[in-house]
Amino acid sequence: MHPAVLIEWMAVGITIALIIIISLFLRGKWRKFGWSLALVVFLAYCVFYIARPHWIDAQIDRKTELVEVYLEQQFPNEVWKINTVPHREEGYKHLNPYYIGVVFENEPEVTYHYWADKNDIYQISYSTDKTLDEFRYKEPK
């Protein structure tokens, strides 16, 4: 289990436990309110935990489409392959799922990483064993 997930679970668990402990000292409608609040916090976290991966997938799809259009404009006669981080698989939790990796067909040993915002798309990094002078698609900063 990733440490960030463990911290999230601990924070929610401690929050719910505190609400329940405080509600034990209350009487009548306030005790019911405390229990209801604990239930609402628990359900909200469950919905968040279930919906979050789908939200990330939707954002990645949208950003991938933006990068695809950008690459078609910048490099119209080139062929490339777009890679994204499989954020739902074990071992990839430490990687940012919003970085879009692009591998050009005629430069397969270099992966260019792009970042897409609503208005801007820019190359943020690259990964390879080549020297800097040998890059064909490195964009100036």
Side-chain angles (χ1 to χ4, degrees):
M1 179 179 300
H2 194 267
V5 174
L6 185 62
I7 291 170
E8 286 176 6
W9 284 8
M10 287 175 50
V12 170
I14 290 170
T15 302
I16 291 172
L18 284 174
I19 292 171
I20 290 173
I21 290 170
I22 291 171
S23 69
L24 290 175
F25 294 107
L26 302 174
R27 302 245 184 241
K29 68 177 181 178
W30 290 106
R31 180 176 287 182
K32 289 180 184 178
F33 177 75
W35 285 91
S36 299
L37 182 62
L39 180 64
V40 166
V41 169
F42 176 73
L43 291 176
Y45 181 71
C46 288
V47 167
F48 170 77
Y49 197 70
I50 291 169
R52 184 176 178 193
H54 299 292
W55 173 259
I56 292 172
D57 287 342
Q59 294 298 313
I60 290 171
D61 291 343
R62 185 180 62 81
K63 290 176 185 281
T64 302
E65 289 174 8
L66 292 172
V67 169
E68 186 90 30
V69 170
Y70 174 78
L71 292 172
E72 287 172 358
Q73 292 172 353
Q74 293 293 110
F75 311 109
N77 298 325
E78 299 296 332
V79 178
W80 58 81
K81 181 181 175 191
I82 292 183
N83 302 318
T84 58
V85 174
H87 66 96
R88 291 184 186 213
E89 294 179 17
E90 195 65 36
Y92 293 96
K93 297 282 186 189
H94 66 287
L95 298 175
N96 189 336
Y98 298 111
Y99 290 169
I100 310 297
V102 177
V103 177
F104 290 91
E105 186 177 79
N106 56 359
E107 195 174 29
E109 61 276 352
V110 180
T111 301
Y112 296 95
H113 301 280
Y114 286 85
W115 182 263
D117 287 331
K118 289 182 181 178
N119 300 324
D120 295 326
I121 297 171
Y122 44 93
Q123 194 178 84
I124 54 171
S125 67
Y126 51 87
S127 55
T128 187
D129 293 334
K130 294 173 78 173
T131 63
L132 190 60
D133 298 333
E134 298 175 18
F135 289 123
R136 297 181 69 182
Y137 302 101
K138 182 169 181 329
E139 297 178 6
K141 292 189 179 197

